[in-house]
């Protein structure tokens, strides 16, 4: 999508464009995930824990996630952990109360090291309703063996997730689609384990040594041509 944008809106020469994704430092993330939690509890009881992380802004779609979570918990118990801070926090807290899920939702605020919390989750949901850049948080969850559900927004998620293999993509803005995906992942242990395996394998494609090699190859090719 970024390549297309450069060509259509900035008249960039397609022959001069190369795509190299962000990297995810898997060993560092795993190491940080072992640090002790301070001031925040991840789990309360044995209920499944659904995680979400990002700036609490309108385009991130946390209101959609809260509605989806509310619909899911009408039938089955679960908890929702939201990591992040932003201008919409009070509105989202009010929405959780209005939906009757205030007790089941924890707003953790900004966390300098979110990985101990993320590691505890049984499922991660990215509910952005309009757009993304390249959502590193998807890869971070995958690196910690957490299965991922993501809105199929422009751009990024579809470049990372192969539906049904390394995660689930759902229609943007659809709380019903998120509810159904949550139910499928949490309700089918074998399917969840397959997604975890695929997620861990996919995250390894973005390891530093692989991405660095792409840059080195690009720079070498440019120097050879010149």
């Amino acid at each position: 999508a970024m390549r297309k944008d450069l060509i259509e809106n900035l008249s960039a020469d397609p022959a001069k464009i190369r795509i190299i994704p962000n990297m995810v430092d898997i060993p560092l993330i795993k190491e940080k995930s072992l640090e002790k939690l301070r001031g925040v509890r991840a789990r309360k009881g044995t209920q499944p824990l659904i995680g979400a992380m990002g700036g609490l802004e309108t385009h991130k779609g946390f209101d959609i996630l809260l509605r989806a979570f509310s619909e899911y918990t009408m039938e089955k118990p679960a908890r929702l952990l939201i990591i992040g801070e932003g201008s919409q926090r009070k509105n989202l807290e009010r929405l959780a109360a209005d939906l009757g899920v205030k007790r089941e939702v924890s707003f953790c605020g900004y966390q300098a090291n979110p990985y101990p919390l993320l590691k505890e989750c049984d499922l991660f949901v990215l509910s952005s309703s309009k757009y993304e850049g390249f959502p590193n948080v998807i890869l971070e969850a995958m690196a910690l063996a957490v299965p991922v559900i993501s809105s199929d927004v422009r751009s990024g998620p579809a470049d990372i997730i192969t539906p049904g293999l390394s995660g689930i993509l759902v229609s943007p803005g659809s709380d019903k689609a998120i509810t159904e995906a949550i139910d499928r992942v949490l309700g089918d242990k074998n399917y969840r384990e397959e997604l975890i395996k695929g997620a861990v394998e996919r995250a390894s494609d973005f390891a530093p040594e692989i991405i660095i090699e792409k840059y080195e190859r690009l720079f070498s090719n440019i120097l050879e041509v010149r």
Side-chain angles (χ1 to χ4, degrees):
M2 295 172 72
R3 180 181 187 276
K4 183 179 179 182
D5 185 54
L6 286 170
I7 295 169
E8 292 182 354
N9 297 313
L10 296 177
S11 302
D13 181 355
K16 292 186 177 182
I17 298 175
R18 299 292 182 273
I19 298 171
I20 299 177
N22 292 350
M23 67 178 72
V24 56
D25 194 335
I26 298 173
L28 179 61
I29 288 172
K30 288 183 176 180
E31 179 183 341
K32 284 191 167 188
S33 75
L34 299 176
E35 293 181 9
K36 290 184 178 181
L37 291 169
R38 299 182 183 277
V40 179
R41 286 182 62 191
R43 286 194 181 275
K44 295 178 182 178
T46 59
Q47 296 175 353
L49 184 63
I50 300 167
M53 183 164 69
L56 305 186
E57 306 299 338
T58 304
H59 70 278
K60 287 293 186 178
F62 285 105
D63 57 326
I64 299 165
L65 175 57
L66 284 171
R67 291 189 179 92
F69 177 75
S70 173
E71 292 168 19
Y72 177 78
T73 54
M74 286 181 183
E75 300 290 336
K76 300 171 183 177
R79 293 196 58 79
L80 176 61
L81 192 72
I82 297 178
I83 307 167
E85 196 56 81
S87 66
Q88 294 299 304
R89 176 162 180 167
K90 289 189 181 299
N91 290 336
L92 293 169
E93 288 175 337
R94 280 195 293 268
L95 178 59
D98 292 342
L99 292 169
V101 294
K102 182 178 179 180
R103 291 177 178 272
E104 288 76 35
V105 180
S106 297
F107 288 89
C108 300
Y110 170 77
Q111 298 291 319
N113 177 15
Y115 303 122
L117 290 170
L118 196 57
K119 182 186 67 172
E120 291 295 311
C121 296
D122 300 295
L123 173 63
F124 181 85
V125 180
L126 183 79
S127 54
S128 297
S129 58
K130 296 180 180 179
Y131 59 85
E132 275 290 339
F134 188 86
N136 278 18
V137 68
I138 289 179
L139 290 172
E140 291 167 344
M142 288 178 165
L144 293 172
V146 180
V148 173
I149 296 169
S150 174
S151 297
D152 190 12
V153 289
R154 181 186 185 271
S155 58
D159 295 321
I160 298 172
I161 293 173
T162 301
L165 294 178
S166 54
I168 298 177
L169 294 174
V170 298
S171 299
S174 174
D175 52 280
K176 181 180 178 181
I178 293 176
T179 302
E180 291 175 350
I182 290 173
D183 188 46
R184 184 172 185 196
V185 176
L186 295 182
D188 188 335
K189 182 179 178 181
N190 291 333
Y191 182 61
R192 182 173 175 274
E193 289 177 352
E194 288 175 8
L195 288 181
I196 290 173
K197 180 181 177 182
V200 171
E201 290 177 356
R202 181 57 174 149
S204 68
D205 293 336
F206 300 85
E209 60 271 19
I210 292 176
I211 303 304
I212 289 170
E213 184 183 355
K214 292 179 184 292
Y215 277 105
E216 289 177 339
R217 192 181 310 125
L218 172 63
F219 296 155
S220 295
N221 290 340
I222 292 172
L223 290 171
E224 287 175 9
V225 170
R226 291 192 175 183

